[in-house]
Amino acid sequence: MGKNKGEVSDFSMTAKLLFRLLPVQVLLMSIGAINGIVTGIFATNYVGEAAMSAVGLYNPINLLVNSISTMLMTGAVVICGKYMGKNQVDQMQNVFTLDIILCTIISIAVAAVLIVMGVFDLTGAIAPDDATRAVFNSFIIGQALGVFPLFVGNQLAAFLSLENKAFRTTLASIVYIIANLIFNYIFVQVMHLEALGLALAASLGMWVFMLVQVQYFFTSKASIKLKLKGLVWDDAKEIVTIGFPGAIGNGYQTIRGFIVNGLITAYVGSAGISAFAASNAIMAFFWAIPAGMLNVSRMMMSVSVGEEDRTTLTNVMRTAIYRFIPLQCAISAFIIIMARPFTMVFYQNTADPVFDMTMWGYRILPLCMPFSVWLMHFSCYALASNKKFMVHLYAILDGFVCVCAFTALLIPFSGMNAVYIANVLNGVFCLLVVIAYSIIKNKKIPSTMDELMVIPADFGVDDDHRIELSVRKMEDVTGTSETVQKFCTDKGIDQRRAYFASLSLEEMAGNVVSHGFTMDSKPHNLTARAIVKDEDVILCIKDDCQPFDPVQRQRIADPEDKTKNIGLRMIYKIAKDFTYQNVLGLNVLTIKL
């Protein structure tokens, strides 16, 4: 299906915004991966192979911890995105406060369990080998001290992105990486604390990461703040309810981790655990890229659902398929080419069986990554649109059933490579499931993005009752306003309101082109959307210029000087509703007539 000029511009602006947000989110998601690489290097080069086995055995527990943190973050971001779409600040602050309270309670409980397991040697089911278990016990005690800042730091990063203050997360990430290296040097090389030192370095680094971010939320600039008075606890239940299906994938991956580790131990041995941990160490860094893609898409999708913005919702998915997946294919190819150098970061003896096992991990595992970008986005859309059954289905297939089944089937014959191949087959199978679901619901092969996503017909407004327009220069403004006036009259809107809609668009779009487009040397986009819904005319004007709030400008205008902001005064007077938001770096002005 062809797209008109406005839809193309809106897609370009959405794609540009997603790519602008992507580096910070990738950096955020790579923090744990960089920690894993540093930990792996110090483990294999300064402690021993048993320490690397401890890292591998801890991975399922780490997934469980992150799944709980992700559950809270996902639920809170989705709810806040919807409140942001409706410009409800008090509700956003309530969700933020409840999210931090839940993180504090749960993280303290998780840390206590890990400390008890390590101190009283209750880890036999995870690490049956006595020598490995002693190292593992020390490792989880040190990791327990970082659970609280990990929980809270992840939440703060997500809310900073909603506040359009992602630079602080970037700064926190850089400081964390430096601190982690310093702590590893002190605890492992200088103090010789071995596995305990590895874990303490990561934990103290997370405290640094959290503290750098938290300071912003106590400044006057923050619109999202802790609000302990008048808490509405119903939102706490909704955070968990919404976040649970999206995070359950990590929960399934935790179970998968224990099962796969058990199969590797039984059929390959401890060398296989070490190889899997080593291959995942650097792979985890590259996994931060699709995870970052998912984070920016999740924020955009949740806001779009709150606004019932069908166009932006489909454009986010178009960006994922036509921009993100090709990028991920190139990254996967790079990892495969670098398989041998990546392996030598951890193991230098090419005759050791663990070397080949690790290198094949870097050759095979990257093939599953483009498929994961696909499934992550469809699972994210299912979550944002409250399709709970599909969220659970995607999570249980991708996170548990397929990988475990394919591994169990292949490992007796293919050894360690079976684990890697199983992940690729899992990706192919899940892609087919998404397409099959679309075919079943549409009763035909999907031909549009709406059909592929199975967006309900009553979501937003249909194509006949909305129009997308693009403004790139001042000459476009007059033609766009005339098009809107004709569109309104064609849909039965009276001449007076049709004229006011045209006039409002001309005034506001003209201001953006005259002032916003010229404030810097960067290229900018403006899209205008006119909607006729329930006999109302709704104008939505989006641009990617510097933040400018016309609502606040009208409120502070000098009431005695009638010559200033005359166009803005007029529109503010005739509109039923006149709201402005800066959503993830976009100026969004909504006028209802």
Side-chain angles (χ1 to χ4, degrees):
M1 176 181 288
K3 298 194 287 284
N4 64 40
K5 206 167 76 172
E7 288 175 312
V8 172
S9 176
D10 196 76
F11 169 65
S12 298
M13 187 160 60
T14 301
K16 187 168 77 170
L17 174 61
L18 289 171
F19 273 96
R20 182 176 64 79
L21 295 170
L22 181 59
V24 172
Q25 290 301 318
V26 169
L27 183 58
L28 169 64
M29 299 307 296
S30 68
I31 290 173
I34 293 171
N35 166 57
I37 293 171
V38 172
T39 299
I41 291 172
F42 276 88
T44 54
N45 291 282
Y46 300 103
V47 182
E49 190 175 306
M52 198 63 183
S53 295
V55 173
L57 292 170
Y58 182 75
N59 278 340
I61 297 176
N62 189 48
L63 276 171
L64 178 61
V65 172
N66 276 285
S67 70
I68 301 171
S69 173
T70 301
M71 174 186 70
L72 299 177
M73 181 190 72
T74 302
V77 166
V78 168
I79 297 169
C80 276
K82 292 178 180 178
Y83 285 145
M84 181 174 283
K86 298 174 182 177
N87 202 29
Q88 297 175 330
V89 177
D90 288 343
Q91 289 87 337
M92 289 171 60
Q93 292 180 348
N94 186 72
V95 171
F96 173 69
T97 305
L98 291 174
D99 183 39
I100 299 301
I101 291 173
L102 290 173
C103 281
T104 302
I105 295 171
I106 296 173
S107 63
I108 291 174
V110 171
V113 170
L114 291 178
I115 291 172
V116 169
M117 289 176 64
V119 170
F120 294 100
D121 191 22
L122 304 177
T123 57
I126 301 172
D129 178 76
D130 290 342
T132 302
R133 189 167 67 252
V135 176
F136 181 68
N137 287 340
S138 297
F139 190 75
I140 65 171
I141 291 171
Q143 288 285 349
L145 302 180
V147 173
F148 172 75
L150 183 150
F151 266 73
V152 176
N154 286 344
Q155 317 303 309
L156 297 180
F159 282 101
L160 281 170
S161 290
L162 286 175
E163 286 260 28
N164 200 29
K165 298 294 180 182
F167 172 76
R168 185 172 289 267
T169 298
T170 304
L171 177 64
S173 303
I174 293 170
V175 173
Y176 167 80
I177 293 167
I178 295 170
N180 189 35
L181 283 167
I182 294 171
F183 289 140
N184 266 289
Y185 175 77
I186 294 171
F187 294 141
V188 178
Q189 282 192 266
V190 177
M191 299 179 67
H192 303 290
L193 295 179
E194 299 186 337
L196 177 62
L198 293 171
L200 285 175
S203 295
L204 291 179
M206 285 307 305
W207 278 96
V208 172
F209 174 70
M210 181 194 74
L211 292 173
V212 172
Q213 294 184 100
V214 75
Q215 184 269 341
Y216 172 79
F217 293 93
F218 292 96
T219 67
S220 59
K221 296 179 181 178
S223 60
I224 303 175
K225 298 181 179 181
L226 289 174
K227 182 186 175 185
L228 297 174
K229 291 184 179 180
L231 283 177
V232 180
W233 284 93
D234 288 346
D235 279 339
K237 180 180 178 182
E238 192 174 3
I239 289 172
V240 176
T241 301
I242 291 177
F244 181 76
I248 200 171
N250 280 348
Y252 289 133
Q253 287 180 28
T254 301
I255 301 171
R256 181 184 79 186
F258 286 123
I259 293 174
V260 170
N261 278 351
L263 289 169
I264 294 172
T265 301
Y267 286 94
V268 183
S270 60
I273 296 289
S274 298
F276 197 35
S279 60
N280 274 320
I282 292 180
M283 281 293 298
F285 173 78
F286 289 100
W287 272 113
I289 297 172
M293 294 173 180
L294 178 64
N295 273 1
V296 296
S297 296
R298 178 188 292 121
M299 287 184 277
M300 287 290 289
M301 283 185 179
S302 62
V303 171
S304 299
V305 169
E307 295 178 338
E308 291 198 36
D309 183 351
R310 194 184 197 99
T311 301
T312 302
L313 189 60
T314 55
N315 282 338
V316 172
M317 192 65 78
R318 285 190 181 95
T319 303
I321 293 176
Y322 300 129
R323 303 284 178 87
F324 286 169
I325 289 179
L327 173 61
Q328 187 59 60
C329 288
I331 293 167
S332 296
F334 172 76
I335 299 170
I336 293 170
I337 292 169
M338 294 293 293
R340 188 177 183 87
F342 284 161
T343 301
M344 296 192 75
V345 170
F346 305 102
Y347 305 111
Q348 290 75 44
N349 183 3
T350 58
D352 193 329
V354 75
F355 185 92
D356 276 345
M357 291 181 193
T358 304
M359 187 164 62
W360 276 106
Y362 289 118
R363 288 175 174 171
I364 299 173
L365 281 174
L367 298 174
C368 74
M369 299 177 81
F371 296 108
S372 291
V373 174
W374 169 283
L375 185 66
M376 282 178 176
H377 279 77
F378 277 90
S379 181
C380 177
Y381 164 64
L383 175 64
S385 56
N386 204 31
K387 297 180 180 180
K388 294 180 180 178
F389 173 78
M390 294 311 299
V391 173
H392 282 284
L393 179 63
Y394 294 150
I396 197 168
L397 289 177
D398 178 55
F400 175 50
V401 172
C402 292
V403 173
C404 290
F406 286 129
T407 300
L409 182 65
L410 298 174
I411 200 167
F413 312 103
S414 303
M416 192 62 206
N417 283 355
V419 180
Y420 309 139
I421 295 170
N423 281 272
V424 180
L425 295 176
N426 165 70
V428 175
F429 183 83
C430 289
L431 181 149
L432 296 175
V433 169
V434 171
I435 296 173
Y437 172 71
S438 176
I439 293 173
I440 291 169
K441 297 297 289 185
N442 292 301
K443 298 181 173 59
K444 65 173 184 176
I445 297 175
S447 59
T448 66
M449 189 60 67
D450 288 51
E451 291 177 354
L452 183 61
M453 296 173 69
V454 195
I455 298 178
D458 59 353
F459 180 83
V461 295
D462 58 40
D463 291 343
D464 290 338
H465 287 77
R466 63 185 172 91
I467 186 171
E468 309 283 339
L469 300 162
S470 174
V471 175
R472 296 186 179 276
K473 54 186 183 298
M474 187 58 73
E475 288 76 11
D476 295 336
V477 174
T478 302
T480 299
S481 65
E482 292 173 353
T483 301
V484 167
Q485 184 171 1
K486 183 178 185 303
F487 167 76
C488 291
T489 54
D490 288 347
K491 298 304 170 188
I493 300 299
D494 59 85
Q495 290 287 342
R496 178 177 177 275
R497 282 194 299 153
Y499 170 71
F500 282 147
S502 170
L503 192 63
S504 299
L505 179 59
E506 185 171 357
E507 174 68 23
M508 301 314 301
N511 277 339
V512 173
V513 175
S514 297
H515 304 293
F517 279 25
T518 59
M519 290 182 74
D520 53 43
S521 58
K522 298 177 182 178
H524 292 288
N525 290 307
L526 181 151
T527 60
R529 181 178 303 126
I531 299 170
V532 175
K533 183 177 182 181
D534 299 330
E535 298 185 359
D536 284 328
V537 179
I538 303 170
L539 299 177
C540 182
I541 302 169
K542 292 185 180 181
D543 68 78
D544 55 1
C545 304
Q546 293 186 21
F548 171 77
D549 185 353
V551 178
Q552 185 67 16
R553 177 66 60 86
Q554 160 61 20
R555 289 171 181 165
I556 65 176
D558 183 358
E560 301 300 324
D561 189 348
K562 303 300 183 182
T563 63
K564 288 187 176 180
N565 300 315
I566 187 169
L568 183 59
R569 292 174 187 272
M570 178 196 66
I571 297 169
Y572 198 81
K573 184 176 181 179
I574 63 176
K576 285 185 180 179
D577 194 22
F578 191 93
T579 59
Y580 165 84
Q581 304 166 75
N582 186 269
V583 180
L584 303 173
L586 285 182
N587 294 305
V588 182
L589 179 65
T590 305
I591 304 170
K592 181 182 289 187
L593 300 167

